[in-house]
Amino acid sequence: MAYTALYRVWRPQTFGDIVGQAHVTRALRNAVREGRLSHAYLFNGPRGTGKTSAAKIMAKAVNCQQPVEGEPCNRCKSCEAISSGLVTDVLEIDAASNRGVEEIRDIRERVKFAPSDVSYKVYIIDEVHMLTTEAFNALLKTLEEPPPHVLFILATTEPHKLPATIISRCQRFDFHRIPLGEIVGRLRQICEAQQVEAEDQALQLVAKVAEGGMRDALSLLDQAISFGGGAVKAADILQITGAVSQTYFSTLAKFIIEGNVTAVMEQFDQIMVQGKDPEQFLHDFLYYYRDMLLLKTAPRLQEIVERTLIDEEFAQVAERYELPVLYPVIESLNQSLSQLKWSTYARVLTELTLVKLCQIAGSGASGTQAEAAPARATSAEDLVRLEQRIRSLEEKLARGVQQNVTGARPQEEGRPPARRQAASAAGRPMVQIGKLREIARQVDVALTQRVRGMWGQILAELKKVKIQHHAWLVSGQPAAASSEVMVVTFKSSIHCEKTMEPELKGIVERIIREVCGTPLQLLSVMEEQWQEAEAASAGKQDTGKQEDPFIAEALKLVGEELLEVKD
C-alpha cells in the first residue's frame, strides 16, 4: 500500500482530538448535544489549525446515530461512511477552483432536495473568500433562509475578504494559532505511537518552525523521520529547515558584546559555508535578541519559553547585555531585514550588520557603574569643548559679517555695502553678478525654448533616478540657456544650494545631455539675482555704444565686481 502522510493519518476524528481550540470545540459539542444547531457556521483562522477537520467532525456529529455527549461515535454506519467520503449528502467544495456563480447556483438547486442517506445535508466550502462577488450574491439568499435539513460550514484564512452580509448570517468561530507547548505534546504522542525516537529539542524546533500550525508541524516531522532514518534529532531539523542552533547564537552574541569583529566574522563564515540563508539567519538572530529583551523585561512571560529554550547559557549571555544596548541592536537587525529584500548582495549586507552590532554593543557594554562614570565624564568634557568651539566660531562669524558691512576689506571699499548685507541677510547663495551678466548677454533663445519644452521630461528622468533629487529640483524654473550653461532660478535658497551640490548637479547635467542632446552645465541662482543680471545686461547693451573708453579699460583691469562708477 502507498504511504500515507502523518497529517492525514492523525487527522482529528472527534472534537477532543483537535488541539489548541477548546473555545471552539466546547461550543460545537454543546450545540450538538443540546440540538441548538445553526444553519451556517464560519470557521476562520491561520492555516493548519483544524478548521476543515472541525467541519468534518461537525458533519459526523449532526448525523451520528449514537452520539456521545455531542461527539460522533465513529462506529455507526453514518460516521464510517462520512469518514470514508462515501456520503453524497456531505459535500466538501474547494472555492479556490469552484468560485463562479454557476457552481453556487448548482448548490442552490441541490439544497431543495431532502438528504437520502443521513439526517442533514452538510456543505463545507473551503477557502470561501475566493468566491466571486456574483457567487456571494447567489449564496446570500440560501444562507439567509436555507431548508431545515441543510447545514453550511464556511472555512477561510482571510475573513476580512468576505462580505459583511455573509458574515452576519453565520455563527463565527475564530481558530487561534496553537501554542507551542500543545504542539510539542501532540508531536511526542505521535512519535510514541509511531515508535520513533525524538529529542525534546528537536520537537521544540519543529513546533517553532510550524508557527502555530499543526499540519505544518506534522509535515516537518514526517520529513525529519525520513531524513533521520526513523529518529528525529535537533541537528537534522536545523539542516532541513536551514535554521541556526541557539548555541551558535549564544556564542555569536558573546563575541558581539565583546566587540570581537574577527571572531564574529569567523562564526558567520562557518554557517555561510554550510549554505545557510542570510535572510533566515538575520530573522532567527532578531528573535534571539527579542527573546533576550523579553527575558530581561518580563521574565515570567510564557511567550518567551515558546520562542527560545531558556537554558543556563542563554541566561548568562542575557546578563551581559544592558537594555540600552539591546534596543539599538534589535532596531539595527530589523532595518537590515527590511533592506535585505531590495539588496542584491545579501551576504555583504549581513556582514555589515554584524560589524555594526559589534560597534553598538561593544561601545555600549559596561559591567559596573564605576566603568560607566569615566565615559559620562568624558562625554561631559567633550560637550564643554564643543560649546566653546561653537561660541568661538560664532564670534569669528560675527566679526567677519561686521567687516563686510563696514567695508573693512580694502578690495571691497568701493562696493555698496547695503546690497551685500541684504543678500547675506536673506541667506541666499551668492553668485558673481559679473558671471550672470555675461550669461545673460549670451542667451540662446532657441535653445532656451527647447530646454523649457523638455523640462518635464528632465524632471521625470530625474525622478526615476532618485525621488529625493526630483523634490529638490522640481521647484526650480529653467530661465535661460547659453551654449554652455543652463540657468535654473529658485525662490528658496535651500533648494538653490542643494541643487548645486556635486552629486545632484552631476546627475542633472547627465540627464540634460541625454534628453536635450546638448551638454550644458547647471547653474542654480535665486530668482531676484537673475532678474538683476538681466536688467543690468539690457541696460549695458543699450548704452554700450557711448561707453567711456577709460571705464572699459578699468573693467579689463579689475572687473565689474570691484568697479563702481559715480557721476
Side-chain angles (χ1 to χ4, degrees), residues 377-391:
T378 302
S379 300
E381 292 173 2
D382 292 342
L383 184 60
V384 171
R385 285 197 296 268
L386 183 60
E387 291 176 351
Q388 291 175 352
R389 289 182 61 186
I390 294 173
R391 192 178 300 109

Side-chain angles (χ1 to χ4, degrees), residues 4-22:
T4 306
L6 284 180
Y7 78 88
R8 294 179 58 192
V9 174
W10 291 90
R11 180 185 291 274
Q13 299 299 320
T14 64
F15 289 122
D17 293 339
I18 299 177
V19 179
Q21 311 298 340

Side-chain angles (χ1 to χ4, degrees), residues 37-294:
L37 298 177
S38 175
H39 62 280
Y41 293 91
L42 174 62
F43 295 166
N44 65 266
R47 69 180 190 277
T49 53
K51 300 183 297 296
T52 307
S53 297
K56 291 182 177 180
I57 295 170
M58 188 71 176
K60 289 192 294 184
V62 298
N63 290 305
C64 183
Q65 299 172 359
Q66 299 173 347
V68 180
E69 293 296 320
E71 293 275 15
C73 68
N74 287 317
R75 293 188 301 271
C76 66
K77 187 179 297 184
S78 297
C79 288
E80 291 178 351
I82 294 173
S83 298
S84 303
L86 301 177
V87 177
T88 58
D89 294 322
V90 176
L91 185 63
E92 183 178 356
I93 302 169
D94 178 21
S97 54
N98 299 277
R99 58 194 305 262
V101 65
E102 293 299 329
E103 287 83 354
I104 302 302
R105 286 175 179 169
D106 184 53
I107 293 176
R108 288 177 55 184
E109 294 299 324
R110 292 185 181 183
V111 297
K112 298 177 182 178
F113 302 101
S116 56
D117 300 325
V118 291
S119 303
Y120 286 90
K121 276 190 172 183
V122 181
Y123 289 91
I124 302 172
I125 306 179
D126 199 9
E127 299 299 333
V128 69
H129 65 274
M130 297 292 289
L131 292 179
T132 63
T133 303
E134 294 77 10
F136 275 125
N137 292 335
L139 182 64
L140 194 61
K141 191 65 177 178
T142 305
L143 280 182
E144 186 175 16
E145 297 178 359
H149 56 265
V150 175
L151 198 68
F152 283 95
I153 302 178
L154 314 181
T156 178
T157 55
E158 302 181 46
H160 57 277
K161 293 185 178 180
L162 270 64
T165 51
I166 295 290
I167 297 176
S168 64
R169 287 165 170 78
C170 303
Q171 279 192 16
R172 177 172 175 174
F173 292 91
D174 295 330
F175 285 67
H176 303 158
R177 292 189 183 276
I178 305 173
L180 186 141
E182 296 192 27
I183 293 180
V184 171
R186 181 67 168 174
L187 294 179
R188 187 175 291 109
Q189 176 188 353
I190 293 173
C191 288
E192 291 174 357
Q194 296 287 123
Q195 297 182 351
V196 173
E197 295 183 3
E199 297 178 356
D200 290 339
Q201 188 177 2
L203 297 181
Q204 290 273 351
L205 289 172
V206 170
K208 177 182 175 182
V209 174
E211 295 184 345
M214 182 60 73
R215 184 172 62 240
D216 292 351
L218 291 176
S219 297
L220 182 56
L221 179 64
D222 206 350
Q223 183 180 357
I225 293 173
S226 301
F227 184 85
V232 181
K233 300 179 181 179
D236 296 341
I237 302 298
L238 293 174
Q239 191 167 354
I240 293 172
T241 60
V244 181
S245 68
Q246 181 177 322
T247 303
Y248 172 86
F249 282 135
S250 296
T251 304
L252 193 64
K254 289 178 185 177
F255 290 139
I256 287 176
I257 196 64
E258 294 170 359
N260 192 341
V261 178
T262 302
V264 169
M265 289 295 101
E266 290 176 352
Q267 289 288 316
F268 180 67
D269 184 66
Q270 290 179 9
I271 63 168
M272 287 296 100
V273 171
Q274 298 174 13
K276 304 294 185 181
D277 180 30
E279 184 175 1
Q280 183 65 38
F281 165 80
L282 284 181
H283 182 271
D284 294 341
F285 205 23
L286 174 64
Y287 269 106
Y288 178 87
Y289 277 113
R290 170 255 189 197
D291 293 340
M292 186 182 297
L293 177 65
L294 291 180

Side-chain angles (χ1 to χ4, degrees), residues 393-411:
L393 289 172
E394 289 176 346
E395 293 175 356
K396 290 179 181 179
L397 182 60
R399 286 197 298 270
V401 173
Q402 185 176 6
Q403 288 175 0
N404 290 338
V405 173
T406 57
R409 293 171 60 181
Q411 64 269 28

